[in-house]
Amino acid sequence: MGYLPLHRCPVGVRRESDVLHAELPPPYTAIASPDASSVPVINCRVCQSLINLDGKLHQHVVKCTVCNEATPIKNPPSGKKYVRCQCNCLLICKDTSRKIGCPRPNCRRIITLGPVMLIPEEQPAQPALPVQPDGTRVVCGHCGNTFLWMELRFNTLAKCPHCKKISSVGSALPRRRCCAYITIGMICIFIGVGLTVGTQDFARRFHATYVSWAVAYLLGLICLIRACYWGAIKVSYPEHSFA
């Protein structure tokens, strides 16, 4: 059997959100067959074509030969649920998930999941209701692409889902930390210089004094290196806030 378009939840999305409910597998029936007394079949949830389930009843999903979309024939594994995107891609995610993303390159929707509801099979599927996503669209300082940042506060670090690089959302955080590390680093170096000048005679008799010098210089060097990191970090700026 070919690959089924059944995906787990990715990250990195670009389209508007949709509110969807968990999709339940439809019941399958049996039709008469010249080769056997009955053959189990099921209707495709996308194009309503009949799918032959002969030899496939052990699977959780089957692939339609007409539209090439997946249809569940069993309940999802424990702690999971099925969700179908508006592009007809069948997804599987945790039953506690609130947001998932469609992995198809031509879709990339953010899907906001509503509460789990058991919908009778004879009842038609409920239309999806578009809602605004919580969070902020941020322009990556590395690659220039826009991604959705779910934190409701700025001055944090964010990992771009496109280039996988880390940047600061807003410039206040790196500026503050750079100044703080420079200050602490210079204080440690001045302490090291003071110890070196003031304890030279003492250090000739007690060589353990050299350890305190090394610790002071090492702390100062580490803080200055961290200051250089925060001073050179790329900054991503929010494009528009939905909060």
Side-chain angles (χ1 to χ4, degrees):
M1 175 177 172
Y3 171 75
L4 301 180
L6 177 65
H7 305 279
R8 294 187 181 271
C9 309
V11 255
V13 287
R14 290 205 181 188
R15 304 283 288 275
E16 292 186 353
S17 298
D18 305 300
V19 175
L20 300 177
H21 297 294
E23 175 166 317
L24 301 177
Y28 54 85
T29 58
I31 61 173
S33 171
D35 299 327
S37 59
S38 64
V39 176
V41 297
I42 197 173
N43 287 101
C44 174
R45 294 301 292 267
V46 177
C47 66
Q48 303 304 316
S49 300
L50 291 180
I51 303 175
N52 189 335
L53 300 183
D54 189 22
K56 303 175 184 177
L57 294 178
H58 62 284
Q59 302 174 187
H60 279 83
V61 297
V62 291
K63 181 179 180 182
C64 177
T65 57
V66 177
C67 64
N68 290 324
E69 298 292 350
T71 294
I73 61 174
K74 288 184 178 181
N75 289 330
S78 178
K80 304 289 184 179
K81 63 181 175 181
Y82 298 119
V83 176
R84 192 177 295 278
C85 180
Q86 286 189 354
C87 69
N88 293 326
C89 179
L90 185 66
L91 310 173
I92 184 170
C93 64
K94 294 181 179 179
D95 54 11
T96 56
S97 298
R98 293 182 55 209
K99 292 178 183 290
I100 60 173
C102 179
R104 288 185 173 173
N106 59 348
C107 180
R108 296 291 186 184
R109 281 185 175 86
I110 300 173
I111 303 173
T112 300
L113 302 178
V116 177
M117 298 177 61
L118 296 178
I119 303 176
E121 292 302 326
E122 62 273 11
Q123 181 178 342
Q126 299 297 320
L129 302 177
V131 297
Q132 287 184 327
D134 298 328
T136 303
R137 291 192 180 277
V138 175
V139 179
C140 177
H142 292 279
C143 63
N145 288 319
T146 303
F147 62 94
L148 189 64
W149 180 236
M150 303 308 297
E151 292 286 341
L152 298 180
R153 58 191 179 90
F154 298 141
N155 303 325
T156 56
L157 295 180
K159 184 176 182 180
C160 176
H162 305 286
C163 63
K164 308 299 182 184
K165 294 181 179 179
I166 295 177
S167 60
S168 172
V169 182
S171 59
L173 177 67
R175 184 169 57 247
R176 285 200 310 266
R177 293 197 176 180
C178 181
C179 294
Y181 277 117
I182 288 177
T183 302
I184 297 174
M186 294 304 298
I187 291 175
C188 290
I189 290 178
F190 287 147
I191 291 175
V193 172
L195 289 174
T196 303
V197 174
T199 60
Q200 285 185 354
D201 296 335
F202 186 78
R204 292 191 184 97
R205 288 176 294 164
F206 301 96
H207 298 293
T209 308
Y210 294 121
V211 176
S212 62
W213 300 3
V215 170
Y217 288 126
L218 182 61
L219 289 176
L221 180 61
I222 292 175
C223 290
L224 293 180
I225 292 175
R226 293 295 295 174
C228 293
Y229 167 79
W230 284 106
I233 194 171
K234 292 287 186 178
V235 177
S236 299
Y237 292 97
E239 182 182 69
H240 181 69
S241 177
F242 292 96

